[in-house]
Amino acid sequence: MSWAINIIADYGTVEGEIKNISSEGVLIFCEEPLRLNETYRMSVLPPEGKAIGFLGKVIWADAYCIDEDNTAFGMGFCLIEISEDGIKYLGKLLSGLP
C-alpha cells in the first residue's frame, strides 16, 4: 500500500506515506519524526476518491523502520477520532485492495 497523507503539526504540514492502514491504526513513513504520545490531525489521500480526515496519536516510532532510500521514519498511530462516514469509506476502499 502506498497512499499519501498530510499530518498537521505545530510547525506546519508534514507529508508522508501510508504503508498499512486499518480501522484502528495506521503505519506511516515520513522524513520528519513526530513526537510520541502526541495527537495530530491528518488527511489520507487515497489514489482514487476523496480525502479522509481523522485524529491519530503516535503510539510508537522507529528510526530503523526506513524506506529503500534510508530516509523515512516509521510511526504507528492509533485512530482517535474519525467520522462514521470516514470509517465506512475507508472500509470500502480497503475491501477493494488485493
Side-chain angles (χ1 to χ4, degrees):
M1 155 173 283
S2 182
W3 291 356
I5 187 165
N6 291 326
I7 305 163
I8 308 302
D10 297 347
Y11 50 87
T13 301
V14 176
E15 294 180 357
E17 187 175 351
I18 292 176
K19 291 297 185 179
N20 191 337
I21 190 168
S22 73
S23 61
E24 297 176 1
V26 61
L27 169 62
I28 297 172
F29 281 7
C30 63
E31 293 185 13
E32 295 183 48
L34 299 171
R35 293 184 298 265
L36 280 174
N37 299 314
E38 289 289 322
T39 300
Y40 296 91
R41 182 157 302 283
M42 298 179 233
S43 181
V44 178
L45 307 166
E48 299 176 10
K50 62 181 181 177
I52 304 167
F54 62 91
L55 288 178
K57 181 178 181 179
V58 181
I59 55 173
W60 64 265
D62 186 355
Y64 297 104
C65 187
I66 54 180
D67 67 7
E68 58 274 358
D69 296 325
N70 295 323
T71 58
F73 289 83
M75 289 170 279
F77 290 77
C78 67
L79 300 185
I80 294 189
E81 181 182 300
I82 184 169
S83 72
E84 191 66 33
D85 287 343
I87 288 280
K88 288 178 185 175
Y89 183 57
L90 180 60
K92 180 180 173 184
L93 290 171
L94 293 176
S95 68
L97 291 177

